[in-house]
Amino acid sequence: MRELDPQAGAAEADAVAEAITLTRVDEVGAAAQPPGVVFHVVDEYDELGPEQVIAHDAVGIEISRPSELIAAGEELAANADADLARGQAELVEDARTRFLDTVEPLSPYVRRPPKATIPHYATKGGLFLGEGLGLFGALLWLGEVEWVAAVMGVSVATATLIAGLSGAEVKDLRGRALRHTDPKDLTDGQRKFAHLFAGPDSGWGYVKAVLYVSVAVALTLAVTIGTLRGVVDEPVVGIVFGTIGVAVSGASWLDSYFYADEIADLIARTRRALEAEERILAARARGTSWRRRAEARAEVSSLLREQGLRGQAAQHHMRALLARVLRNNPGVAGNGRASESAAIGQTARRSGGAK
């Protein structure tokens, strides 16, 4: 079967139209198209116009077929990705609601400075290095194996910092005492966090136990480090290093106390939860299956729309060629359409001629 090429067909139609000659049947010329006569060329071009539309539609289907196959092949995976993305969007909305419900009633009670995190961890890091390296050097002087000295130095430095973490518990109790509000005076948003406004509870006894353990750990480490340095150097040096050990534990405690903020931590947790859900949603939205399907469908739609417009243009071109044929043969077809008054009861054809 001959392959249809609309562009080639239109070009060929131009040449054919130029060569068409209507045979005269009467030596008398006419100024208007003769009434009651339907030229065969009119019927011909009336069919050529729709042919161009159909041919262009067929070409559009042909060239868009690969994209249609891609879209069909990605259908199942794309639907699954879309379902996951919709479910994740609901989780993001829930996380955003929790974050906003937390920020609005609690943000006035945040006491931690906005940029306190970096100094806090820098302080902890400095205390850790100082304590660990001090013990590491003393163990090396005693002839300990290097890796054993390093591990023990890290352990002692970690224990010293942990002993100071009890300062955060004390700060939380202090914060609740400052925020203490009668339940009847709480706003609707604050009632969801009534425990943060209830004041100190019966847990103070447990906090005191933690403080006692922290003090015991700090003193034990100070005595150990002081004794070790006293053996390596002078007893006075041991006292100095033991005192430094106590100071490090105390500094860690103070750092934990000043950095602790129960309200700020709660808001930060809800913000991180929201950001985590948003990252998952963004990853879902970047899924390749639904994107390939959407691109393929868009390409199919664009190609079909383009070929449809080209077909309409070709149909109009056929009508123009019919007019050209009639114009090139005025001796037979006349110089224009007959007016309505000249052919009563006849309907003028849009493409020329009467019917």
Side-chain angles (χ1 to χ4, degrees):
M1 183 177 64
R2 182 173 63 88
E3 183 179 358
L4 293 177
D5 186 347
Q7 298 297 332
E12 180 181 354
D14 283 349
V16 171
E18 291 293 340
I20 289 179
T21 301
L22 300 182
T23 305
R24 292 177 60 89
V25 298
D26 193 353
E27 293 297 329
V28 180
Q33 293 180 2
V37 178
V38 179
F39 298 110
H40 294 304
V41 69
V42 174
D43 292 333
E44 178 183 357
Y45 277 87
D46 279 349
E47 295 300 324
L48 286 176
E51 178 195 29
Q52 289 296 309
V53 175
I54 296 172
H56 279 82
D57 287 345
V59 170
I61 294 174
E62 179 183 4
I63 62 179
S64 64
R65 186 173 296 118
S67 297
E68 286 186 332
L69 294 177
I70 292 175
E74 297 290 347
E75 188 73 20
L76 182 60
N79 288 337
D81 285 346
D83 290 340
L84 291 174
R86 282 191 291 268
Q88 187 61 36
E90 295 178 0
L91 295 178
V92 169
E93 189 61 31
D94 291 342
R96 182 178 293 111
T97 300
R98 287 194 298 271
F99 173 68
L100 295 177
D101 289 346
T102 303
V103 170
E104 183 177 358
L106 298 183
S107 57
Y109 299 93
V110 174
R111 302 187 65 186
R112 180 191 299 160
K115 299 182 179 180
T117 301
I118 294 178
H120 167 68
Y121 286 106
T123 299
K124 293 293 187 185
L127 295 175
F128 179 86
L129 288 176
E131 187 76 359
L133 290 176
L135 182 63
F136 176 71
L139 291 174
L140 288 182
W141 274 102
L142 284 177
E144 187 61 77
V145 180
E146 291 184 359
W147 71 269
V148 175
V151 171
M152 292 186 65
V154 170
S155 299
V156 171
T158 302
T160 303
L161 295 184
I162 290 177
L165 294 180
S166 58
E169 291 293 330
V170 177
K171 179 64 174 293
D172 288 342
L173 290 176
R174 172 61 177 163
R176 293 195 179 192
L178 292 175
R179 293 190 302 270
H180 178 61
T181 305
D182 190 282
K184 295 182 296 183
D185 297 330
L186 295 176
T187 65
D188 292 338
Q190 291 172 346
R191 287 193 180 93
K192 299 177 181 179
F193 308 95
H195 63 286
L196 299 176
F197 299 91
D201 53 22
S202 58
W204 171 240
Y206 296 100
V207 174
K208 287 193 293 184
V210 172
L211 288 175
Y212 294 150
V213 173
S214 298
V215 171
V217 171
L219 292 178
T220 301
L221 293 175
V223 171
T224 301
I225 295 174
T227 303
L228 183 61
R229 296 300 302 199
V231 173
V232 175
D233 296 311
E234 299 288 336
V236 176
V237 176
I239 295 175
V240 170
F241 274 87
T243 305
I244 292 175
V246 174
V248 169
S249 297
S252 176
W253 192 94
L254 289 174
D255 179 66
S256 298
Y257 179 88
F258 288 116
Y259 182 76
D261 190 331
E262 192 173 14
I263 299 296
D265 290 340
L266 179 58
I267 293 176
R269 285 196 297 272
T270 57
R271 178 184 289 109
R272 287 194 297 269
L274 172 59
E275 292 172 348
E277 298 295 347
E278 288 176 337
R279 286 193 296 270
I280 295 175
L281 177 59
R284 298 290 188 196
R286 291 192 297 269
T288 57
S289 295
W290 73 264
R291 187 174 69 249
R292 283 197 298 265
R293 182 183 65 174
E295 291 174 350
R297 286 179 172 177
E299 186 174 16
V300 170
S301 176
S302 177
L303 290 172
L304 293 178
R305 189 168 60 253
E306 176 188 354
Q307 292 301 316
L309 293 174
R310 291 182 183 275
Q312 294 177 25
Q315 185 178 31
H316 286 293
H317 189 67
M318 290 298 110
R319 292 173 182 168
L321 291 180
L322 172 59
R324 184 188 303 177
V325 170
L326 298 176
R327 176 174 56 82
N328 290 341
N329 297 272
V332 175
N335 299 107
R337 292 194 184 97
S339 64
E340 294 295 332
S341 60
I344 302 299
Q346 294 182 350
T347 301
R349 298 178 62 93
R350 183 173 57 177
S351 300
K355 63 179 181 181

